[in-house]
Amino acid sequence: MALHERFTPCSQVSEAMDSDQIADQLALLNDWELIHHHGIARLQKHFRFNDFAQALAFTNRVGTLAEQYNHHPELTTSWGEVRIRWWTQKIRGLHLNDFILADKTDRL
Amino acid sequence: MALHERFTPCSQVSEAMDSDQIADQLALLNDWELIHHHGIARLQKHFRFNDFAQALAFTNRVGTLAEQYNHHPELTTSWGEVRIRWWTQKIRGLHLNDFILADKTDRL
């Protein structure tokens, strides 16, 4: 089963992953880092671009992906860079959904 | 002279405002706060929206403003919220330009 077929609707998300599950999934991603912000585990990655317009265009592509799955990251757009953070607010932690969308972000 | 007519091209920006100048200009803005991040003074404000799409649309409107003036803020977009930070990297501080664009951000 492909990763994207395993996306869980928000209403059915109930439990955050534990640290072993997180470590296993993180190893499958490309250069995403695990951070903790306000006590919540999150996936973070910086994407670099040649100017502001390209960065903002990427933010919009991630935004379209987020709307498609009704799961939304934090996107910090500045000149030549977008920082993305994925987590699941409902469970105040990480769900497989976040890894699925981090992987999809890389493929945009 | 209207505030927007006093915008200085980046090539001519040479000096950061001192704390008295900042306090004077900050008093003229609507609910912007002064923060220091990585040792650099910045203007920050949170804008709230009803969903992700409206937040992203606002990010794009600020992006258009930024491109128009060739001066770019940091825009942190999440569900129902955009956090904006204006500062001038060249002088590692605040310039009147930042207050002008903070004010213009409010009028979008």
Side-chain angles (χ1 to χ4, degrees):
Chain A
M1 189 165 63
L3 203 55
H4 73 273
E5 296 178 72
R6 297 166 64 193
F7 192 87
T8 308
C10 178
S11 59
Q12 293 167 38
V13 167
S14 60
E15 212 170 303
M17 295 166 80
D18 66 30
S19 58
D20 284 349
Q21 292 170 316
I22 289 171
D24 286 351
Q25 290 295 328
L26 198 59
L28 303 175
L29 288 181
N30 181 27
D31 288 335
W32 287 79
E33 59 176 329
L34 175 66
I35 64 152
H36 289 81
H37 184 63
H38 294 314
I40 298 178
R42 307 167 199 243
L43 300 176
Q44 172 175 291
K45 187 168 178 177
H46 292 80
F47 295 81
R48 319 275 177 198
F49 302 92
N50 290 330
D51 57 26
F52 181 79
Q54 286 182 37
L56 185 56
F58 183 70
T59 290
N60 279 288
R61 289 202 296 281
V62 180
T64 300
L65 174 69
E67 288 285 75
Q68 192 182 339
Y69 283 86
N70 194 27
H71 185 48
H72 301 88
E74 180 192 88
L75 301 128
T76 299
T77 313
S78 53
W79 197 96
E81 185 178 288
V82 180
R83 186 192 72 194
I84 315 265
R85 290 179 173 174
W86 287 104
W87 77 96
T88 300
Q89 189 63 30
K90 182 184 177 183
I91 51 173
R92 295 181 62 81
L94 288 170
H95 185 275
L96 185 61
N97 286 351
D98 298 303
F99 291 86
I100 293 171
L101 288 179
D103 183 60
K104 286 186 179 295
T105 302
D106 279 341
R107 296 168 195 275
L108 287 174
Chain B
M1 189 165 64
L3 204 54
H4 72 272
E5 296 177 72
R6 297 166 63 193
F7 192 87
T8 308
C10 179
S11 59
Q12 293 168 37
V13 166
S14 60
E15 211 170 303
M17 294 165 83
D18 65 31
S19 56
D20 286 348
Q21 292 170 317
I22 289 172
D24 287 348
Q25 289 296 326
L26 198 59
L28 302 176
L29 289 181
N30 181 27
D31 287 334
W32 286 79
E33 59 175 330
L34 174 66
I35 64 154
H36 290 81
H37 184 65
H38 294 315
I40 298 179
R42 305 166 201 245
L43 299 176
Q44 174 175 289
K45 187 170 178 176
H46 292 79
F47 294 82
R48 318 278 177 196
F49 302 93
N50 290 329
D51 57 25
F52 181 79
Q54 286 182 36
L56 186 56
F58 183 71
T59 290
N60 279 289
R61 289 202 296 282
V62 180
T64 299
L65 173 70
E67 289 285 75
Q68 191 182 338
Y69 283 86
N70 193 29
H71 185 48
H72 301 87
E74 180 190 89
L75 300 129
T76 298
T77 312
S78 54
W79 197 96
E81 186 179 288
V82 181
R83 186 191 72 194
I84 315 264
R85 290 178 173 174
W86 287 105
W87 76 97
T88 299
Q89 189 63 30
K90 183 184 177 184
I91 52 174
R92 296 181 61 80
L94 288 170
H95 185 274
L96 185 62
N97 286 351
D98 298 301
F99 290 85
I100 293 171
L101 288 178
D103 182 60
K104 286 185 178 298
T105 302
D106 279 342
R107 296 169 194 274
L108 287 175

